[in-house]
Amino acid sequence: MTQPPHDEPTAQNPEELRRQVERTRQELGETVEALAARTDVKARAQEKANQTKEQAAAMAGQARQQAAAVTGQAKAKAGEVAQQVRDKVPDPVRDKAARATGQARATASRAGQVWHDKAPKPVREKTDRAARAARDNRVLLLAGAGTGTVLLWLALRRRGN
């Protein structure tokens, strides 16, 4: 016969023996379940895939937050640069630029109407997307325009000397 484990006392009566047998059955069942879970490759692969998806989603969220922060910083810096450019441009140049801007807007409006009337629909849709992107990045475009204005002013000033 098999000897009882050394860490478990020998049963004193049949009821105690039944409890020990039941406890042993329960432990054996748990051990079998654990072994079955370890050998279920499909379930383990699915679990690992789910963990990887969760990690990827968390990393993507962090990347989006960082990108938003960097974009905010870039917009703020572009706004500062644009303000510095505006402060340094002389009034006559600013006035001339404002008049030119008004004329350009009017011409662009007329050209836009002609374009809308004559351009094929797929081409119009692509240009509409590009225009939306430009509107979404106004600060950067304004900073570039301000820089261009300063460079033009400097070039004209040097030519005058």
Side-chain angles (χ1 to χ4, degrees):
M1 281 193 112
T2 309
Q3 291 288 326
H6 294 290
D7 61 342
E8 199 173 298
T10 309
Q12 299 297 325
N13 60 44
E15 186 58 38
E16 193 175 325
L17 182 60
R18 282 188 194 99
R19 281 195 299 270
Q20 286 178 356
V21 168
E22 184 58 36
R23 189 172 38 249
T24 303
R25 280 185 186 150
Q26 186 175 359
E27 290 172 1
L28 180 61
E30 291 171 1
T31 303
V32 168
E33 283 180 21
L35 289 172
R38 284 185 168 189
T39 59
D40 189 356
V41 175
K42 185 177 179 182
R44 291 181 75 193
Q46 184 65 39
E47 182 179 320
K48 187 66 174 175
N50 288 339
Q51 287 175 350
T52 304
K53 279 183 191 177
E54 290 172 6
Q55 288 173 347
M59 290 175 71
Q62 289 174 350
R64 276 192 294 276
Q65 288 175 346
Q66 289 174 350
V70 169
T71 301
Q73 290 171 353
K75 285 183 178 181
K77 187 65 175 173
E80 291 172 17
V81 169
Q83 185 60 45
Q84 289 173 356
V85 168
R86 278 189 230 107
D87 292 345
K88 291 182 180 181
V89 173
D91 288 340
V93 173
R94 250 191 273 158
D95 293 342
K96 199 173 211 179
R99 282 193 303 275
T101 301
Q103 291 171 350
R105 282 189 180 146
T107 302
S109 178
R110 288 190 300 274
Q113 187 60 46
V114 169
W115 170 258
H116 189 270
D117 294 342
K118 298 195 178 202
K121 186 175 180 178
V123 174
R124 281 195 319 256
E125 289 172 352
K126 285 182 182 179
T127 55
D128 287 344
R129 282 194 299 268
R132 261 186 258 114
R135 279 192 300 271
D136 292 344
N137 296 299
R138 267 188 210 148
V139 173
L140 295 174
L141 290 173
L142 288 173
T147 303
T149 303
V150 168
L151 292 175
L152 176 64
W153 174 70
L154 289 171
L156 292 173
R157 188 171 163 190
R158 282 188 186 158
R159 195 185 306 167
N161 288 340

